[in-house]
Amino acid sequence: MAVTPAAVRTAAVRTAAVRTATAGAHRHWLLKPIGHRPLGLARRRRNVPVYRPLVDLSTMEERHVILTYRLNSATIQELCVQLEPDLMSPIRHPTGIPPLVQVLSVLHFLASGSFQTTVTISSGMSQPMFSRVLSRVLSALMKYMRSYIIFPEVGDLPTVKGDLYALGHIPNIIGAIDGTHVALVPPKDNEQVYRNLKNYHSMNVQVVCLADQYISHLNAKFPGSVHDAYVMRNSSIPYVMEQLQRQCVWLIGDSGYPNLTWLLTPVRNPRTRAEERYNEAHGRTRRVIERTFGLLKARFRCLHMTGGSLMYSPKKVCHIIVACCMLHNLALRRQVPLLQEDGPDGGVVAAVEPAESEEEEDEEDDTGNRDRVILQYFQ
């Protein structure tokens, strides 16, 4: 059938009419309130990812929970309840990752000392997402540091002194002090500041512990090249101990520290049997700090040399160290054992870290206090 010019003109007129009507309709829609927009012109909603957890604590054996996260299920749940307000996003939780999963992924990282990519595979999140989760959980933990790391109050001193006296029979000791090193990748601009006496880069971490290896004081902000005695003098420990001098109490430290009115160190060159007996008692008491470092680094492998160097800024490494010490205390208070990876069921690791010797600083000792202790208790 042939198409006539009249038919073509009629079709063109109809098409023009449809276009005019459609344009008018569009203009009519655009004048309506936003809430009445048709589906085709509505704004696209942001896609919020839905995270599907790969781990379910309720299906895991308790031994496996402790091996993986260093805390038992009940303690992990309590920790999540405490941190939940800080781990929930203020706007619709855009990460889609529940607080429990955030805490579990960070605990796994601290316990294993693995690279972030290894942890992300087991947690089911991307490496950039885990990096943000790590910062968020660490920041949340920092808010509660003073609730987890507590120096003994005056009312607690009799019990603290009694427990430490049982170790070496030196009276009035309320803590053992020492430093340990945690390896890190140093900043390029001042790399030498972080190089310690053993020729690797680290943070010098000062700890005071009690007889049960509970950490009562912590200072983790100085680089590895700084001497233990300098860290001690520039921490809050001198002020705290001077406030307790009316209680006639002391800390105990190795020969890298000066002998002070509140700090007892060993006799460097004992000449009498009494001084030898004092040194033996001093060593038995001070060994608790070595066991504390050993237990801390066995529980959280990210702090141990076998876990490699922490590849974060010194500030973030400091936060990681503090978080590990807080969780160490939490595990002690909840009586969570440190189980062996390949040992018999229920086996416990007996961890002792070798003492790290420091060069002695040229500092004048106040030996009068130590001499009185030797004369009164070790003659």
Side-chain angles (χ1 to χ4, degrees), residues 26 44 52 54 64 69 72 85 99 114 146 148 175 184 187 205 213 219 244 267 280 314 344:
H26 283 179
R44 291 182 179 178
R52 293 176 175 82
L54 301 182
H64 184 55
Y69 305 112
N72 57 29
S114 301
R146 297 186 183 276
Y148 285 81
L184 84 163
V205 184
Q213 301 175 56
N219 189 315
L244 293 174
V267 179
E280 293 169 1

Side-chain angles (χ1 to χ4, degrees), residues 204-237:
N204 190 352
V205 184
Q206 175 186 278
V207 166
V208 177
C209 75
L210 307 183
D212 61 354
Q213 301 175 56
Y214 177 90
I215 294 174
S216 60
H217 187 274
L218 174 67
N219 189 315
K221 64 182 181 180
F222 286 94
S225 64
V226 177
H227 194 278
D228 283 355
Y230 181 90
V231 177
M232 181 268 296
R233 287 195 303 268
N234 289 274
S235 69
S236 61
I237 278 294

Side-chain angles (χ1 to χ4, degrees), residues 48-320:
V48 178
V50 177
Y51 179 84
R52 293 176 175 82
L54 301 182
V55 178
D56 184 0
L57 283 183
S58 62
T59 63
M60 296 176 64
E61 294 183 0
E62 196 63 19
R63 170 178 167 79
H64 184 55
V65 172
I66 296 174
L67 282 173
T68 306
Y69 305 112
R70 299 303 194 256
L71 299 174
N72 57 29
S73 299
T75 305
I76 292 173
Q77 295 288 356
E78 292 176 12
L79 184 64
C80 287
V81 170
Q82 184 179 42
L83 301 182
E84 183 174 3
D86 298 296
L87 300 184
M88 292 293 292
S89 173
I91 305 177
R92 296 187 182 179
H93 198 33
T95 63
I97 302 180
L100 175 60
V101 178
Q102 296 183 52
V103 171
L104 289 178
S105 63
V106 172
L107 288 177
H108 185 196
F109 168 73
L110 299 177
S112 65
S114 301
F115 290 106
Q116 285 191 5
T117 51
T118 305
V119 177
T120 57
I121 292 173
S122 62
S123 62
M125 65 182 74
S126 66
Q127 188 276 330
M129 178 57 70
F130 174 75
S131 183
R132 292 195 291 272
V133 166
L134 176 61
S135 298
R136 178 180 291 186
V137 173
L138 291 176
S139 297
L141 282 170
M142 292 306 105
K143 293 183 179 181
Y144 300 96
M145 182 182 67
R146 297 186 183 276
S147 301
Y148 285 81
I149 301 175
I150 307 171
F151 202 81
E153 298 181 354
V154 174
D156 302 323
L157 294 183
T159 301
V160 172
K161 290 189 292 185
D163 293 341
L164 284 162
Y165 178 81
L167 300 179
H169 296 91
I170 300 181
N172 299 325
I173 301 296
I174 62 169
I177 186 172
D178 202 357
T180 189
H181 290 264
V182 174
L184 84 163
V185 176
K188 293 182 180 180
D189 54 349
N190 53 356
E191 170 265 340
Q192 289 299 324
V193 176
Y194 293 88
R195 188 179 297 277
N196 60 32
L197 292 176
K198 294 188 177 181
N199 205 32
Y200 68 90
H201 302 97
S202 66
M203 298 294 292
N204 190 352
V205 184
Q206 175 186 278
V207 166
V208 177
C209 75
L210 307 183
D212 61 354
Q213 301 175 56
Y214 177 90
I215 294 174
S216 60
H217 187 274
L218 174 67
N219 189 315
K221 64 182 181 180
F222 286 94
S225 64
V226 177
H227 194 278
D228 283 355
Y230 181 90
V231 177
M232 181 268 296
R233 287 195 303 268
N234 289 274
S235 69
S236 61
I237 278 294
Y239 174 79
V240 171
M241 292 303 299
E242 287 168 5
Q243 299 302 308
L244 293 174
Q245 281 309 286
R246 292 183 180 180
Q247 308 298 322
C248 297
V249 292
W250 307 300
L251 295 179
I252 195 165
D254 63 19
S255 57
Y257 293 98
N259 199 81
L260 304 173
T261 55
W262 48 265
L263 177 59
L264 296 179
T265 61
V267 179
R268 295 173 183 172
N269 299 301
R271 299 178 180 179
T272 66
R273 182 55 189 154
E275 290 178 345
E276 292 175 354
R277 284 195 290 267
Y278 165 79
N279 275 1
E280 293 169 1
H282 186 283
R284 290 194 301 270
T285 306
R286 201 193 67 82
R287 207 164 292 132
V288 67
I289 189 69
E290 297 170 14
R291 293 196 296 271
T292 299
F293 289 144
L295 180 61
L296 174 67
K297 293 185 177 183
R299 194 185 298 275
F300 299 106
R301 304 300 294 181
C302 68
L303 304 182
H304 198 276
M305 288 291 293
T306 57
S309 300
L310 290 169
M311 296 184 290
Y312 302 97
S313 68
K315 181 179 180 180
K316 194 163 188 176
V317 170
C318 174
H319 288 173
I320 290 174

